């Protein structure tokens, strides 16, 4: 597709279960970000992938959170042993990764809304 | 770490009014960006600023990159109902890791009842 695609769009899970959220970035975009947006809050940076470089994991809130990006394209964010405070919208964004006109323009998906009961 | 203070947190608009919001930072950025998020959607870039003092317009939107490189404002003139949503400022220092894109907490625009 033309834009960033995320799935599932909605996920309801029970406390303690593991969840996987998927992001399919725009074709050719080398940089990929995950953000978390809690109700009424701003965008909390989680993790950033750029090409083959080691990911910037500095925003991951705990070791229950992990992400991988296979083949430099699709990314999966995994949350293990989910807690109620993990409930939020998880947004993925991609960008060309090149410095130049419109540097900083991230293209966001519609997000995956996670509800932990 | 770097933090952005965005204000106001929320505001109500009446059609035709001008709107102003701003962002300040404890440290400098060499890029400022403004995004808008509609309900159920991801944020979309409105304006990008790359030079201190730069004033850029996009239709009814005008944004400025503060001369100190620690602040930016966004103005919306003659607001219309579709302007409602959440506006985010973001600061970045390109040349290093592009992961250093920091977002403000957002300004929520709603229509006056």
């Amino acid at each position: 597709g033309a834009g960033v695609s995320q799935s599932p769009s909605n996920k309801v899970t029970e406390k303690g279960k593991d969840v996987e959220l998927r992001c399919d970035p725009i074709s050719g975009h080398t940089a990929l970000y995950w953000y978390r947006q809690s109700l009424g809050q701003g965008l909390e940076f989680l993790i950033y992938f750029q090409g083959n470089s080691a990911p910037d994991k500095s925003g991951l809130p705990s070791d229950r959170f992990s992400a991988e990006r296979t083949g430099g394209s699709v990314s999966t964010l995994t949350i293990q042993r989910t807690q109620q405070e993990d409930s939020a919208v998880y947004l993925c964004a991609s960008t060309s990764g090149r410095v130049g006109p419109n540097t900083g323009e991230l293209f966001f998906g519609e997000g995956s809304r996670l509800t932990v009961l | 770490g770097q933090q952005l203070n965005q204000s106001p947190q929320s505001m109500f608009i009446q059609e035709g009014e001008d709107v102003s919001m701003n962002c300040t930072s404890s440290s400098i950025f060499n890029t400022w960006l403004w995004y808008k998020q509609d309900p159920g959607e991801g944020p979309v870039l409105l304006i990008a600023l790359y030079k201190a003092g730069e004033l850029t317009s996009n239709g009814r939107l005008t944004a400025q990159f503060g001369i100190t490189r620690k602040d930016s404002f966004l103005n919306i003139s003659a607001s219309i109902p579709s302007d409602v949503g959440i506006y985010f400022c973001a600061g970045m220092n390109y040349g290093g890791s592009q992961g250093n894109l920091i977002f403000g907490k957002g300004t929520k625009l709603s229509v006056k009842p």
Side-chain angles (χ1 to χ4, degrees), chain A residues 33 35 37 40-43 45 48 50 56 91 95 97-106 108-110, chain B residues 31 33 35 37 40-45 48 50 86 88 92 94-95 97-101 103-106:
Chain A
Y33 301 72
Y35 289 89
Q37 186 174 26
Q41 299 297 310
L43 301 172
F45 168 75
Y48 161 68
Q50 169 58 61
D56 177 354
L91 289 162
T95 187
R98 292 187 298 274
V99 175
N102 284 350
T103 293
E105 180 172 13
L106 272 58
F108 283 85
E110 294 186 344
Chain B
T31 300
L33 307 126
Y35 284 80
Q37 184 178 30
E41 305 285 331
V44 174
L45 182 68
Y50 300 110
I86 304 176
F88 292 101
M92 185 175 76
Y94 65 79
S97 165
Q98 207 174 349
N100 290 329
L101 181 64
F103 281 88
K105 292 189 182 301

Side-chain angles (χ1 to χ4, degrees), chain B residues 2-52:
Chain B
Q2 291 175 314
Q3 291 188 343
L4 294 187
N5 295 309
Q6 187 171 350
S7 65
Q9 287 186 335
S10 63
M11 58 193 309
F12 289 90
I13 59 172
Q14 198 152 37
E15 189 170 353
E17 287 182 339
D18 295 344
V19 172
S20 185
M21 60 193 80
N22 68 81
C23 240
T24 59
S25 170
S26 56
S27 52
I28 63 174
F29 289 107
N30 57 28
T31 300
W32 280 95
L33 307 126
W34 287 92
Y35 284 80
K36 184 195 177 194
Q37 184 178 30
D38 290 326
E41 305 285 331
V44 174
L45 182 68
L46 297 174
I47 291 180
L49 303 154
Y50 300 110
K51 190 184 297 184

